[in-house]
Amino acid sequence: MPRTPQGTAYDLTGPDDGPVVVLIHGLGLTRATWRDHVPALSRAFRVLTYDLCGHGETVLPSQTPSLTVLSEQLRALLDDLGVARAALVGFSLGGMINRRFAMDHADRVSALIIQNSPHERAPDAQAMVEQRARDTGVGGPAATITETLQRWFTPQYIQTHPQTVEWVRQTVLANDPDNYTGHRLVLAAGVTELICPANPITHPTLVMTCENDSGSTPAMSRAIANEMPQAKTLIIPELQHLGLLEKPELFTTPTLEFLTRHLTH
């Protein structure tokens, strides 16, 4: 398992001379989130997956988690690998990180795909997200895991794919409680620094979510896209937050089409 000098665990697959595509996972998960997506993407692209600070096989961060800390983790990873420019595909918290990175290091981004990622919330929804983060601080990941899985997967999938659901459960429960709480607070509060940035993100962008994602709603995806002059929105029918695990082909196919259009000639 390769790891950078800073302790970030990563995998790099695909043709050496292909355009680089970075896949950024969400809160409590690991780079294994992308296991059903990498094979198709790596036929045409150099695909980089990595574990966020303190997640999976990456060491715990020395600083309090923030979008800037997570953006700088990605910058250091790209520097270590000698990658000057990449397309960034971010899921949930990852879709906040890739927006922060595009704001901080615009010249190093070729395109963005933002998947199931939050934007400005109504006051009651914001209060709910902050309360979940506080609950996690008291009881660790286990405090909210059952409710979380019900929000992430459709009821039918929970019944028919118990092994995958259990894998996700165990992945989340394996997190360091304090680190998980810190990143959950970033997910709760970090959206405020991404709303209507002074310098709009102008990269080609695809904003995706699922029809029944209660935390990263279709309205949020449209709001994200409306702030970007080169963004398009795609809403996946029926699924909830972890649609990319439930029906990966509904994400991989438009991702491939978008990246092929913008990264190859």
Side-chain angles (χ1 to χ4, degrees):
M1 180 272 301
R3 187 182 280 162
T4 69
Q6 293 82 18
T8 295
Y10 69 92
D11 292 307
L12 191 57
T13 57
D16 291 344
D17 59 349
V20 176
V21 176
V22 184
L23 308 180
I24 312 170
H25 68 78
L27 171 72
L29 302 174
T30 70
R31 65 192 192 279
T33 301
W34 306 104
R35 61 188 184 182
D36 294 327
H37 304 258
V38 169
L41 294 174
S42 61
R43 286 197 286 270
F45 303 106
R46 189 73 165 152
V47 178
L48 173 61
T49 62
Y50 71 101
D51 291 336
L52 298 180
C53 298
H55 290 67
E57 297 173 302
T58 290
V59 300
L60 289 166
S62 58
Q63 304 174 68
T64 301
S66 69
L67 284 182
T68 296
V69 167
L70 292 163
S71 172
E72 289 308 297
Q73 180 197 15
L74 175 56
R75 182 199 56 77
L77 174 60
L78 295 178
D79 287 350
D80 285 331
L81 296 175
V83 176
R85 202 158 177 257
L88 308 179
V89 181
F91 166 74
S92 193
L93 176 59
M96 295 168 64
I97 296 166
N98 70 0
R99 277 180 274 167
R100 181 73 261 175
F101 189 90
M103 292 159 63
D104 295 340
H105 307 287
D107 60 328
R108 304 196 64 175
V109 178
S110 54
L112 290 177
I113 299 181
I114 301 163
Q115 299 178 343
N116 299 79
S117 195
H119 198 50
E120 186 171 15
R121 304 178 180 99
D124 58 338
Q126 183 65 33
M128 184 184 301
V129 171
E130 292 176 359
Q131 184 59 51
R132 286 183 188 136
R134 287 191 290 270
D135 291 344
T136 303
V138 174
T144 55
I145 187 61
T146 299
E147 173 200 353
T148 295
L149 292 172
Q150 290 171 348
R151 287 188 292 107
W152 284 1
F153 294 110
T154 63
Q156 299 92 327
Y157 190 84
I158 291 174
Q159 290 182 349
T160 57
H161 292 77
Q163 289 182 320
T164 300
V165 175
E166 184 60 21
W167 168 67
V168 172
R169 179 193 299 272
Q170 293 305 324
T171 299
V172 173
L173 292 179
N175 279 269
D176 174 88
D178 290 339
N179 188 63
Y180 182 82
T181 298
H183 282 80
R184 194 154 195 175
L185 289 168
V186 174
L187 188 67
V191 290
T192 58
E193 66 190 76
L194 303 174
I195 299 165
C196 294
N199 297 310
I201 296 171
T202 58
H203 306 83
T205 302
L206 176 63
V207 188
M208 306 173 63
T209 196
C210 298
E211 180 183 8
N212 296 320
D213 188 335
S214 60
S216 303
T217 64
M220 287 181 176
S221 287
R222 294 186 183 102
I224 293 170
N226 284 341
E227 295 178 4
M228 300 179 182
Q230 292 199 66
K232 297 185 181 299
T233 308
L234 176 63
I235 309 301
I236 306 297
E238 299 179 358
L239 300 177
Q240 296 178 197
H241 191 55
L242 263 179
L244 83 169
L245 282 184
E246 193 161 331
K247 291 191 176 179
E249 69 281 359
L250 297 184
F251 286 77
T252 303
T253 298
T255 294
L256 268 172
E257 292 173 351
F258 176 83
L259 294 175
T260 299
R261 185 163 65 250
H262 291 286
L263 302 187
T264 61
H265 302 285

